[in-house]
Amino acid sequence: MADLTQLTGDYAASWLPWIMIPMVFYILPFPVFALLFLWIERMTVEEEN
């Protein structure tokens, strides 16, 4: 296993999956649901007019 000070070659992105797990499951849902909510609200406002 590579040390953080020796990230070269094949091990350069070995930390990437560990960063992506919390991003996909903890951070990404908030903007996705916010955009979905805004889209649904926009559609209901357009239907009322």
Side-chain angles (χ1 to χ4, degrees), residues 3-46:
D3 181 347
L4 282 178
T5 60
Q6 299 171 344
L7 290 178
T8 58
D10 295 336
Y11 299 103
S14 64
W15 51 270
L16 190 60
W18 296 106
I19 296 298
M20 293 303 287
I21 289 169
M23 282 185 63
V24 167
F25 292 108
Y26 299 136
I27 298 169
L28 191 63
F30 291 104
V32 168
F33 282 116
L35 289 173
L36 183 64
F37 173 77
L38 291 173
W39 181 63
I40 291 170
E41 288 295 315
R42 189 182 69 196
M43 296 300 281
T44 55
V45 168
E46 288 177 359

